[in-house]
Amino acid sequence: MTKNREVAQALEEISLLLQIEGKDKFKSLSYARAARSITGLGEDIENIRDRGELTNVPGIGKAIADKIESFLDTGEIKLLVELRERVPVKVWELEAIPDVGPKTISLLYRELGVTDLVSLEEALDAGKLEGLKGMGKKTISKIADGIKIARAGASRTLLAEAMPIANRLVERLSRISDVNQAVVAGSLRRRRETIGDIDILVDASKASKIMDAFVGMEDIADVLVKGPTKSSVRTKDGLRIDLRVLPTESYGAGLQYFTGNIDHNVKLRAIAKTKGLLLNEYGLFRNDEQVAGQGEEGIYDALGLDYIPPELREDMGEIEAAQEGKLPKLIKLEDIRGDLHTHTDQSDGKNTIDEMLDAAVEKDYEYYCVSDHTQSLTIANGMDEAHVLKRIEEIDELNASGRWKMKILKGAEVDILAHGELDLDDSVLDQLDIITLSIHSRMKDTKQVMTERVCHALESKYAHILGHPTGRLLLKRPEFEIDMEKVFETARHNNVVMELNAHPQRLDLNVGNLRAAKRWGLRIAINTDAHRTGELDYMQYGIFQARRGWVEKYDVINTLPPKELMKSLRK
DNA sequence: GCCGTTTTCGGCCCGACTGTTTTCAGTCG
């Protein structure tokens, strides 16, 4: 996956440099489009290249595919090298300044020789920006302020951190009189793993009053934009919030437009055009007559598309599927019948088994698997064989007691050791209901070693589920190097289920891997990995991620009734 | 450079806001 980021960055840089050169606008847009597409892939671009399917990726044609291959083979793209020579500007630094784009960068470079933040600062201090075309006092001071923001770097926020903040905002806005409804839009509504800002849409006829209330809220550090229908602020903790107000008759169109993503919207508007229609945030229009717009459904319908759930709106095939009536029936939270990966205070969890079970019953689960860590994970107080056997006895007694109206399953999260051996003796593994295998050590193994190690573990007859298969921690630790296609193939042969770990910092598998797992005919287990009672709520984030990965109810084993669940795990 | 319900050429989403301008260019989403 690190390669995906590198390729996307290279293409994005080409796009920016082409824009700075100001030659062919559409060519530069193509590179940007391709870069966004790769960013949204999830799946390893190297695997796609190996299958010879690069040009199947939306926005990638022959020319860009060749450049990607060149980058993967040599680490270079000739065009990029040449562009950097012609325009030796550190685009990433300058582009990060708010309100500074290609035209401004071009002007600053051509007129003043500015190539990075340091030389820009020097030019500012020397008063050299004054007198340049379009550079008034306000623009110059904006640039000066923007340098600090560029230095701080773009920050992203976990979905699970942003969602409560956004919900509180929506609630506050809803309470303003004249507001009919307020709702979260943007990447938050698409349930992306991390978000860059919070987008909120308000349905109201009198916008100005709402704008005043919005920018006047506590915790607002800066007002970035304020107009009659649209405002942006930055909160004291650095989060950007965009607010758009639209009247009721445009609410659906506004929601559609504001949910995005850009490529999804662009394609929809192009389809509208072919039908002699105009689509914007006010509605879908034939000449001046509004054909649809109060609800989102009406817009998709009028464009000849099935309704596309927000989580799929990334132009990754969903529009074509909607045209053909082939959209997946996405899984829902209510479909889940139990949690198969949870911890207690017997290893590194914070609550007792009784407390966890009480919390699980609250969720109306039909089964619940207790799966604490095993011995080699000493830092998590992992259990040895004797401890696991004691736990097995205990759970048998709990089940016999009938105190909880659900089946308590005996499990363990068994460490995969250095060469793919399992961290418990077979005689003990044999007595467990569900065994989840996980990597917690040697995460810097080479791709080949890691792949062999995991695949060897999956070949064990005790391998039921592969836990958090790529080991990533969002915004913190990248996925470890591993050939997921090999892993999927081995899992397929050995009837091993892939976990979608629902912890908001993991969401592991990612979207591309979920779709790839589906292609392999693999089944998924959506598990919270809860270490305390409240974390059982993480299931909703797993469902969000599953939906983004086009996962349906029948793909997921913990939607099955208890008997069928156990049957499905048999070797 | 990409792409196809105008299909291998000729298009390429659409509008809000800002600052600097006297009507618009640049940026952003």
Side-chain angles (χ1 to χ4, degrees):
Chain A
M1 288 297 296
T2 51
K3 278 278 185 289
N4 291 32
R5 196 161 51 246
E6 287 172 22
V7 171
Q9 266 174 10
L11 297 178
E12 176 73 24
E13 189 176 348
I14 290 175
S15 170
L16 285 165
L17 289 170
L18 286 171
Q19 286 180 69
I20 292 167
E21 280 203 323
K23 281 181 189 151
D24 185 345
K25 180 180 150 199
F26 293 108
K27 191 198 271 196
S28 69
L29 286 176
S30 296
Y31 280 97
R33 165 81 181 93
R36 283 198 303 274
S37 199
I38 291 165
T39 305
L41 268 184
E43 188 183 0
D44 264 333
I45 193 150
E46 290 164 293
N47 290 338
I48 298 173
R49 177 257 175 94
D50 289 346
R51 294 201 302 272
E53 292 176 358
L54 279 176
T55 54
N56 290 357
V57 176
I60 296 180
K62 177 87 175 65
I64 292 182
D66 285 348
K67 292 183 174 69
I68 292 171
E69 298 216 10
S70 152
F71 186 86
L72 292 176
D73 291 338
T74 68
E76 274 188 359
I77 299 171
K78 194 158 151 263
L79 173 63
L80 180 54
V81 174
E82 290 166 1
L83 279 166
R84 279 174 176 161
E85 273 168 22
R86 289 209 296 273
V87 191
V89 166
K90 291 182 182 165
V91 276
W92 300 120
E93 285 193 25
L94 298 177
E95 183 263 350
I97 304 169
D99 302 315
V100 169
K103 301 285 181 196
T104 309
I105 295 174
S106 176
L107 177 76
L108 293 171
Y109 171 63
R110 278 185 289 109
E111 298 295 328
L112 305 175
V114 166
T115 57
D116 54 19
L117 289 177
V118 171
S119 53
L120 173 58
E121 225 163 20
E122 285 167 3
L124 272 166
D125 289 345
K128 286 182 181 168
L129 270 66
E130 287 149 43
L132 284 185
K133 202 177 86 197
M135 286 287 165
K137 269 203 178 101
K138 282 192 172 177
T139 303
I140 291 172
S141 102
K142 244 187 186 177
I143 291 174
D145 290 344
I147 289 176
K148 293 187 205 87
I149 294 170
R151 287 234 165 86
S155 64
R156 294 191 70 82
T157 308
L158 290 180
L159 177 67
E161 286 172 21
M163 221 151 85
I165 298 172
N167 289 339
R168 272 201 300 279
L169 269 167
V170 163
E171 203 182 299
R172 273 154 82 178
L173 289 165
S174 302
R175 281 204 299 268
I176 300 174
S177 60
D178 298 336
V179 169
N180 298 320
Q181 44 187 335
V183 70
V184 169
S187 52
L188 250 168
R189 184 161 181 251
R190 297 200 309 276
R191 313 304 192 193
R192 281 202 52 176
E193 301 159 350
T194 63
I195 57 114
D197 60 15
I198 293 177
D199 298 313
I200 293 174
L201 178 68
V202 163
D203 165 6
S205 45
K206 287 181 205 145
S208 65
K209 186 176 152 194
I210 293 150
M211 290 304 168
D212 289 341
F214 175 60
V215 302
M217 285 188 313
E218 54 188 301
D219 305 334
I220 304 294
D222 270 317
V223 177
L224 307 171
V225 176
K226 183 169 179 261
T229 72
K230 182 177 156 177
S231 295
S232 295
V233 299
R234 197 179 301 283
T235 64
K236 281 174 186 158
D237 42 9
L239 206 54
R240 183 184 162 131
I241 303 164
D242 293 351
L243 178 73
R244 183 72 195 260
V245 180
L246 284 165
T248 304
E249 64 268 22
S250 296
Y251 187 66
L255 196 51
Q256 195 289 309
Y257 147 80
F258 216 15
T259 299
N261 75 354
I262 182 168
D263 296 309
H264 178 91
N265 285 353
V266 166
K267 201 171 254 186
L268 242 53
R269 289 169 178 203
I271 291 172
K273 222 174 203 183
T274 66
K275 296 183 184 292
L277 301 166
L278 168 72
L279 177 62
N280 58 32
E281 61 263 52
Y282 296 101
L284 185 64
F285 298 91
R286 172 166 278 123
N287 302 321
D288 285 338
E289 187 205 350
Q290 197 199 48
V291 186
Q294 186 159 356
E296 278 187 317
E297 293 83 356
I299 293 169
Y300 284 98
D301 189 49
L303 294 176
L305 303 170
D306 288 346
Y307 176 76
I308 301 175
E311 294 95 328
L312 300 189
R313 298 185 198 165
E314 309 249 333
D315 189 24
M316 296 300 282
E318 75 282 2
I319 293 173
E320 293 75 9
Q323 283 172 326
E324 296 164 14
K326 288 183 180 164
L327 281 172
K329 268 189 88 177
L330 299 179
I331 186 170
K332 299 193 289 288
L333 185 58
E334 309 87 83
D335 294 330
I336 294 293
R337 294 185 193 233
D339 202 329
L340 304 179
H341 179 174
T342 68
H343 296 271
T344 71
D345 60 359
Q346 294 298 296
S347 63
D348 60 347
K350 296 291 177 274
N351 290 99
T352 64
I353 186 166
D354 284 17
E355 288 163 347
M356 295 301 281
L357 291 172
D358 280 339
V361 162
E362 287 293 305
K363 304 217 167 284
D364 281 332
Y365 282 157
E366 295 171 34
Y367 42 81
Y368 181 89
C369 183
V370 182
S371 52
D372 276 306
H373 290 288
T374 54
Q375 53 199 343
S376 76
L377 203 61
T378 47
I379 194 168
N381 192 27
M383 303 190 295
D384 60 16
E385 276 89 1
H387 195 161
V388 174
L389 288 172
K390 196 166 153 247
R391 183 27 76 86
I392 287 172
E393 256 179 55
E394 205 180 339
I395 292 178
D396 283 338
E397 284 166 19
L398 290 176
N399 272 320
S401 79
R403 190 176 141 199
W404 288 276
K405 286 197 173 68
M406 62 181 182
K407 175 85 174 162
I408 307 161
L409 298 168
K410 294 164 280 189
E413 183 181 13
V414 179
D415 258 57
I416 297 173
L417 303 179
H419 303 290
E421 321 90 304
L422 307 190
D423 192 27
L424 283 178
D425 191 77
D426 284 3
S427 63
V428 177
L429 290 170
D430 210 41
Q431 299 182 51
L432 291 168
D433 296 316
I434 296 187
I435 295 157
T436 293
L437 305 182
S438 297
I439 294 279
H440 291 116
S441 60
R442 297 168 180 264
M443 297 202 220
K444 299 226 162 93
D445 273 353
T446 63
K447 188 168 185 173
Q448 193 189 347
V449 169
M450 185 61 94
T451 305
E452 282 171 9
R453 184 179 163 200
V454 169
C455 288
H456 183 250
L458 296 187
E459 281 161 2
S460 158
K461 66 172 173 173
Y462 298 109
H464 294 141
I465 301 175
L466 179 62
H468 43 73
T470 70
R472 71 169 178 180
L473 295 177
L474 290 165
L475 307 177
K476 204 169 170 188
R477 184 175 76 203
E479 304 174 340
F480 39 67
E481 297 289 328
I482 186 163
D483 181 346
M484 286 306 285
E485 292 290 308
K486 279 258 165 58
V487 170
F488 291 149
E489 188 179 4
T490 310
R492 178 82 185 125
H493 283 140
N494 294 278
N495 190 31
V496 179
V497 174
M498 286 297 121
E499 179 176 79
L500 162 50
N501 190 294
H503 192 293
Q505 203 170 26
R506 290 190 182 271
L507 296 176
D508 183 5
L509 298 172
N510 68 31
V511 168
N513 278 325
L514 283 169
R515 290 183 75 172
K518 242 192 118 156
R519 269 203 307 279
W520 277 100
L522 290 166
R523 288 160 316 140
I524 312 284
I526 306 177
N527 297 326
T528 64
D529 202 351
H531 281 69
R532 59 186 78 217
T533 55
E535 292 179 359
L536 292 176
D537 291 340
Y538 286 165
M539 188 60 81
Q540 66 169 320
Y541 295 101
I543 296 292
F544 292 153
Q545 178 82 344
R547 289 170 63 88
R548 284 171 47 73
W550 294 48
V551 170
E552 303 178 82
K553 180 180 175 183
Y554 70 77
D555 296 317
V556 176
I557 62 163
N558 46 328
T559 64
L560 295 171
K563 274 187 187 156
E564 286 177 46
L565 168 74
M566 295 317 293
K567 215 167 103 185
S568 78
L569 292 172
R570 262 183 229 150
K571 296 282 179 176

